[in-house]
Amino acid sequence: MLETFSSFHPVLQALLAGLFTWSCTIFGSAFVFLFKDINRKFLDVMNGFAAGVMIAASFWSLLAPSIANAEDSGYGIWAFVPAAVGFMVGGFFLRLIDVVIPHLHLNEPEENSEGPKTKASKNLLLFLAITIHNIPEGLSVGVAFGAIVAGAANGDASLSAVGLAIGIGIQNIPEGSALSMPIRAAGSSRLKAFNYGQLSAIVEPIAAVIGAVAVISMAAILPYALAFAAGAMIFVVVEELIPESQTNGNKDIATLSLMVGFVIMMILDVALG
């Protein structure tokens, strides 16, 4: 099956990988049909795990290949420049989205919503927060598959990109639950809560295709694009996932879960890459 997948064009691979990560969110969101709410400790553990996965993916799957590609492209001692520039631009990009799109992080009162003032419902604001979170995940998957054509790829690059998609998909399962269950607990129907949860990740296959097409069309931007995705993901981790996992009395187990997520993603990347 993996050999068949590897025979597809990288843009199609990116689309399928994005659909896979979205399907993991759908699966997690479907837990709302079985449970009414989510245990706080479990949510903190899952947020920590997701943070670990994203930190590891940012380095092993994105920043390290960015520097390696810059070295191969003749940057010499300046090979760090694309990684540094792309990383910072990725963070500022997510900050800009935070400013222009109204949203509300989980477990925050409605008056703490960020972005422009709006009369949107709390459910919609929560949905937008998770959707913003999912954009860099989709981009990172697309850029990783686009690298296969863009010139950074060795023979195992497709497997490395698959490992990245698997890691993001794993952490999308609890993420879907983390959105759908609070919406259900607030009084919405199970179907409505499920739809909010699963639709929050519809941006992932879209962003994956955009990322893949961009780096294939403009191979010179590849090291910048890889680092851009890393910077965007680290912004999400530091602004959202780690604080949410550390403010409810579950610091130690959330931190250990972060380390487990990091190790699992590292193993996936190294074993498959």
Side-chain angles (χ1 to χ4, degrees):
M1 181 180 294
L2 191 57
E3 290 182 0
T4 301
F5 178 80
S6 298
S7 69
F8 297 151
H9 189 278
V11 173
L12 178 56
Q13 290 182 25
L15 174 60
L16 293 175
L19 291 173
F20 165 74
T21 60
W22 180 23
S23 72
C24 290
T25 303
I26 293 172
F27 177 69
S29 300
F31 288 0
V32 76
F33 294 110
L34 302 176
F35 310 101
K36 185 174 182 179
D37 53 25
I38 188 169
N39 180 272
R40 183 66 245 183
K41 179 180 286 190
F42 175 76
L43 182 58
D44 290 343
V45 166
M46 290 300 98
N47 277 331
F49 179 84
V53 168
M54 292 175 72
I55 292 170
S58 295
F59 175 75
W60 296 100
S61 300
L62 299 169
L63 284 175
S66 169
I67 294 171
N69 179 253
E71 290 173 344
D72 293 342
S73 300
Y75 279 81
I77 63 172
W78 301 102
F80 65 87
V81 171
V85 172
F87 186 82
M88 293 304 301
V89 172
F92 280 112
F93 172 74
L94 260 290
R95 174 56 185 153
L96 177 62
I97 290 181
D98 268 358
V99 171
V100 301
I101 298 180
H103 60 284
L104 177 67
H105 295 300
L106 294 172
N107 304 306
E108 290 284 345
E110 200 163 351
E111 57 268 23
N112 287 354
S113 63
E114 300 179 19
K117 296 298 180 182
T118 178
K119 294 182 179 179
S121 68
K122 183 177 181 179
N123 288 349
L124 179 58
L125 292 174
L126 290 170
F127 166 81
L128 290 172
I130 300 297
T131 301
I132 292 171
H133 173 153
N134 285 327
I135 292 173
E137 295 178 7
L139 284 173
S140 67
V141 170
V143 169
F145 280 103
I148 298 168
V149 170
N154 55 37
D156 297 321
S158 181
L159 292 177
S160 179
V162 168
L164 174 62
I166 292 173
I168 290 176
I170 290 172
Q171 64 94 26
N172 273 2
I173 295 173
E175 186 176 272
S177 299
L179 178 57
S180 63
M181 288 187 180
I183 291 175
R184 167 59 180 162
S188 296
S189 69
R190 284 186 169 87
L191 181 59
K192 185 174 183 179
F194 167 75
N195 282 329
Y196 269 114
Q198 61 93 7
L199 286 173
S200 68
I202 196 172
V203 295
E204 292 198 4
I206 297 171
V209 170
I210 291 173
V213 170
V215 297
I216 290 173
S217 301
M218 299 172 284
I221 72 168
L222 178 59
Y224 295 92
L226 288 164
F228 175 93
M233 288 212 293
I234 291 297
F235 185 94
V236 169
V237 168
V238 176
E239 188 217 21
E240 182 178 343
L241 295 180
I242 292 178
E244 287 181 3
S245 72
Q246 296 286 314
T247 56
N248 301 283
N250 300 307
K251 292 183 179 180
D252 289 344
I253 191 170
T255 301
L256 290 172
S257 181
L258 183 152
M259 297 175 71
V260 170
F262 184 96
V263 169
I264 289 176
M265 186 64 237
M266 178 180 67
I267 291 170
L268 282 172
D269 190 271
V270 174
L272 294 178

